[in-house]
Amino acid sequence: MLLKKYPLLYALTLLFFFSGFSQERPNVVLIVLDDMNDYIGAMGGHPQAQTPNIDRLISEGVLFANAHSNAPVCAPSRASFMSGILPSSSSNYGFENRMKNEILSNSKTISEFAMENGYLAFQTGKIQHQSTKKDWTEMGVKKYQGPLAYNGKKPAPHPSVPKAFGAIGPLDGTFASLADVPDVPASKNAPGYKGWWHVQKKKPFRYVNDEDRDLLTDEKSAIWWQKKVKTLEASKENKPFFMAFGIMNPHTPHVVPQKYFDLYPLKTLKLPIIKKGDNKDCSYLDVLSGKGVSHFGALQKSYPTIDDGIRAYLQGYLAAVSFADHIVGDVLESIENSKFKDNTIVILTSDHGYNIGEKEYLFKNSPWEESTRIPFVIRDPSNKKNASKKVKHPISLIDLYPTIADVCDFKGSTLKNDKGHALDGFSLVPFLKNPENGRWKGPDVALTVIKNKNSPLAGKQNYSIRSKEFRYVHYCNGKEELYYHNEDPYEWKNEINNPKFKTIKQKLQKELKNQIPDLK
């Protein structure tokens, strides 16, 4: 036989059939963090942040250092990047059910488009707020943020959290290690309860110690994914896969094992760089006086000084960041120890950032750098020559979908019918090929929208755009802010009335108007 006469050809043929590398199109693993700002070692957001696994991923990939969320709060951000449609196009600005939105429900999500193109599509953890089985080949662990303290009838504030801050609600108002087992005393309305509580399952969360306990959602997802990788390795089907791994942290409640809190002793923990009175030249109180303002006020009431409060809250946030980084390490290890190592693109990002007291604001959903800026890194094994390089051009989450479609060579329409909407973003592949000067077709600014509760119209929302050097904010009441990042990286000085920047202001106003033609 021909193959017997040519041993090398015979050996290569065997390798083709049995090595599992006959698959030509790449796999994609999308890791989505929750509420993650730039508190990552390699991004320098906080000098003490310990994130070795994300740091390594950044060193092996291309970091988009000026990446931003299109909607800095969970539900609309996720609905947007998974559909590839801007909130200003779909009118999905908040926590409305995306499946009841005419445009979103008639457009294909990334996973649906991947399956249509012959991919297997998996998800675990938190990816969208209304995930359905038809969107995926298989769904893993359900999203759940907890455990929480319990009063015998319902979730309760954790006793270790000051009363004023706990009053904002158990979900947002809890920061405590798992080892700090809550003991909620009885009251006239509830019998009290000692122990952690799993609200979703309506049963106790078993905790003896950090090594003997129920697992957190992210830990369950990591185990599910490890098993899934082995199943895929053993499969003869050999289809490429798209995996969306949603990490719950560092979203509240900040409840993780004690060893992650121990990484950040309160006595040596450095505060974020905050200028007191920084909000005096801002206009957000007129239109955004929601959780960010009330949470900061509650923290202020809870401690002798606001610095004490921010330091206590920051410890829980950073502990959750390092816990999330550990999960990222588990995901990467599963890939790197498999036959998919050299044919799997890893993308890591977050739905939005988070303010830790800047501008007297403690939450997400703000128009400033802390809330809009996100980690965004792509590691492509075929692009090792550009490992550790950075892209400074502004991009946003809306560019995620077209990038995945491009690298995987998806074909066809992303619309289910004429009621859907075309992708709003642009493929980032030109930047992967040339991080310094990629010939990108997208805009020169990254767009962020924050919902105006009084109107569904695109022209009447609150907008923020980020260029290479500036941030421009336009509120629904017509008030504006302008920050010059080259001289003011913390956005302390609103330059909107500075004659020096009149031309820049007009240019950015035009940029925003180009994207939102109906802007009022």
Side-chain angles (χ1 to χ4, degrees), residues 1-14:
M1 291 179 61
L2 181 62
L3 292 180
K4 296 281 186 171
K5 290 182 179 181
Y6 299 94
L8 179 58
L9 179 60
Y10 182 67
L12 289 173
T13 302
L14 288 177

Side-chain angles (χ1 to χ4, degrees), residues 364-377:
K364 47 212 169 192
N365 212 28
S366 88
W368 311 299
E369 192 82 352
E370 292 80 16
S371 270
T372 75
R373 191 180 182 214
I374 51 172
F376 196 114
V377 58

Side-chain angles (χ1 to χ4, degrees), residues 407-426:
V407 296
C408 295
D409 195 27
F410 290 167
K411 305 294 185 185
S413 173
T414 60
L415 279 63
K416 295 180 180 178
N417 53 54
D418 59 6
K419 293 181 180 180
H421 192 283
L423 299 183
D424 280 318
F426 296 83

Side-chain angles (χ1 to χ4, degrees), residues 39-207:
Y39 283 18
I40 291 171
M43 293 183 71
H46 192 281
Q48 294 167 306
Q50 297 185 43
T51 54
N53 296 299
I54 300 176
D55 293 348
R56 178 171 67 85
L57 182 66
I58 290 173
S59 73
E60 296 169 348
V62 174
L63 174 66
F64 291 81
N66 197 1
H68 299 269
S69 172
N70 300 109
V73 69
C74 304
S77 175
R78 292 164 183 270
S80 175
F81 71 70
M82 285 299 291
S83 67
I85 300 169
L86 285 167
S88 51
S89 296
S90 68
S91 298
N92 186 79
Y93 306 109
F95 285 81
E96 303 86 3
N97 187 331
R98 68 178 182 89
M99 299 307 297
K100 294 181 180 180
N101 181 286
E102 183 176 64
I103 288 177
L104 295 181
S105 62
N106 290 295
S107 304
K108 300 168 189 173
T109 62
I110 300 175
S111 55
E112 289 178 296
F113 198 39
M115 290 189 292
E116 189 178 275
N117 276 270
Y119 272 64
L120 300 173
F122 306 105
Q123 84 137 71
T124 189
K126 183 179 177 182
I127 295 299
Q128 296 205 80
H129 274 224
Q130 293 91 23
S131 286
T132 59
K133 290 183 178 180
K134 67 179 181 62
D135 290 342
W136 305 91
T137 305
E138 184 179 345
M139 297 175 68
V141 180
K142 290 183 179 180
K143 64 184 178 72
Y144 170 65
Q145 279 144 328
L148 295 170
Y150 187 63
N151 66 9
K153 287 189 174 182
K154 62 182 182 179
H158 194 290
S160 294
V161 176
K163 188 175 181 180
F165 195 74
I168 69 176
L171 181 65
D172 289 332
T174 298
F175 49 92
S177 83
L178 277 173
D180 187 3
V181 178
D183 188 356
V184 180
S187 68
K188 62 179 182 180
N189 298 317
Y193 183 82
K194 182 177 182 178
W196 290 106
W197 187 259
H198 195 301
V199 180
Q200 189 181 63
K201 294 184 177 179
K202 298 180 181 180
K203 69 174 189 177
F205 178 95
R206 193 182 70 84
Y207 180 88

Side-chain angles (χ1 to χ4, degrees), residues 239-305:
K239 281 187 175 182
F241 59 81
F242 166 66
M243 170 64 196
F245 193 109
I247 295 178
M248 310 300 297
N249 283 281
H251 194 290
T252 55
H254 298 145
V255 178
V256 296
Q258 179 65 42
K259 66 179 180 180
Y260 298 102
F261 279 79
D262 291 342
L263 294 174
Y264 305 101
L266 283 174
K267 289 184 179 180
T268 56
L269 187 57
K270 296 181 180 180
L271 289 168
I273 299 175
I274 299 174
K275 178 184 176 182
K276 293 185 178 179
D278 178 30
N279 61 346
K280 301 303 181 185
D281 58 355
C282 298
S283 304
Y284 71 94
L285 286 173
D286 296 330
V287 291
L288 299 179
S289 55
K291 287 187 176 182
V293 177
S294 61
H295 288 189
F296 183 87
L299 196 66
Q300 201 166 28
K301 292 178 183 177
S302 299
Y303 292 87
T305 70

